[in-house]
Each structure stands twice: as C-alpha cells, then as structure tokens.
Amino acid sequence: MKKKVSYKIAKCLCGGIKIKVKGKIGKVINCHCSQCRKTHGNYAAYTYCLEENVTFISKKTLKWYHSSKVGKRGFCSRCGASMFFKLLKSKELDIAAGMFTNPTTMKTVSNIFTKDKLDYYDLDLRLPSFERDSK
C-alpha cells in the first residue's frame, strides 16, 4: 500500500503567488530582526521546508529582493505580501506562516533575534528565546 503524501497550500493575499508544499513543514519560529520587522511591519513568523518540496502553482507576481549578502526575500509585486526568506547557500526555503490555510498543524517553538525586538510587545515567556539565530 502506497503511503499518502500530504500537501499544504500557501498563497499571498491576491493569489498571484500560490504554492503547494509536499510532506512535512517545519515548526514556526518568530524572528524579531530589523529586516523582518521592516519587511512585515512587525516580527515575522516563518516555517521552513526543503526548497525541492515546493511546487509553484502560480508565481506570476513573485519578485525577489536581495536584502543582504547572504539572503533574499520573495514578495508579491501586486499585493505586496512578503512570503519568503531564502539563505542563498541553503536548500531550505522559509515561508511566512500566515500564508497557509487551516488546518496548518504548525506550532510556534521559539523567538530569534530578540536583541532587535521593539518595546511595544512582550515575548511569550513559555518559548525559548535567542538573541541571535537559534543555530
């Protein structure tokens, strides 16, 4: 008997970017770095998967911005949704967790780059927090 492959669907606000992710996706990590805050208007909640497990159903409005020497960010040129972060030498793709449809089965597991956190919100003290990346 063949094992059933599960898929998760994610899309931007206007639907110009729509993906199907095969298999398991990672847990959610809240990033408080200044780049995520500037890109999302707040801290960013990202999950991740192997890039090879992502199939684009639609990417006609996808644009990439090289936000640093080591990474780039994918966004929708029509609705402005910030959807992806990609370390250039990584095989993983980070996907904004809010782009998925329910049920996500995801769980938030930590906060990273908390040294860049702004003062108008509090961290969930039940989650591990790291001043930089958790790696």
Side-chain angles (χ1 to χ4, degrees):
M1 180 159 70
K2 266 189 161 177
K3 183 178 177 182
K4 183 180 176 189
V5 177
S6 63
Y7 292 95
K8 299 280 185 217
I9 301 294
K11 64 181 181 174
C12 67
L13 183 63
C14 71
I17 303 170
K18 186 174 182 181
I19 62 171
K20 178 170 63 171
V21 180
K22 178 176 71 172
K24 187 174 179 160
I25 54 178
K27 296 174 169 102
V28 176
I29 297 172
N30 295 330
C31 183
H32 302 269
C33 79
S34 61
Q35 284 194 11
C36 280
R37 287 189 291 103
K38 303 282 183 202
T39 302
H40 291 271
N42 199 9
Y43 66 88
Y46 279 105
T47 187
Y48 56 92
C49 66
L50 290 174
E51 191 169 18
E52 67 187 26
N53 290 342
V54 175
T55 301
F56 281 89
I57 298 166
S58 174
K59 64 178 180 178
K60 59 188 169 203
T61 60
L62 175 62
K63 299 291 181 197
W64 290 95
Y65 171 67
H66 286 264
S67 55
S68 71
K69 292 178 182 177
V70 297
K72 63 183 182 176
R73 294 172 183 277
F75 66 96
C76 178
S77 63
R78 184 183 311 141
C79 68
S82 178
M83 195 150 172
F84 305 112
F85 176 74
K86 170 87 172 116
L87 287 171
L88 299 178
K89 294 184 178 181
S90 174
K91 293 182 180 191
E92 291 180 349
L93 180 64
D94 295 345
I95 306 166
M99 302 297 172
F100 287 91
T101 55
N102 272 324
T104 69
T105 68
M106 297 183 292
K107 183 171 178 66
T108 303
V109 297
S110 67
N111 291 292
I112 60 173
F113 291 97
T114 57
K115 68 179 178 59
D116 294 340
K117 176 193 151 326
L118 294 181
D119 60 1
Y120 67 88
Y121 63 93
D122 295 320
L123 295 175
D124 182 342
L125 298 177
R126 298 170 296 177
L127 298 175
S129 294
F130 303 91
E131 284 191 5
R132 300 200 46 82
D133 198 346
S134 60
K135 293 178 182 167

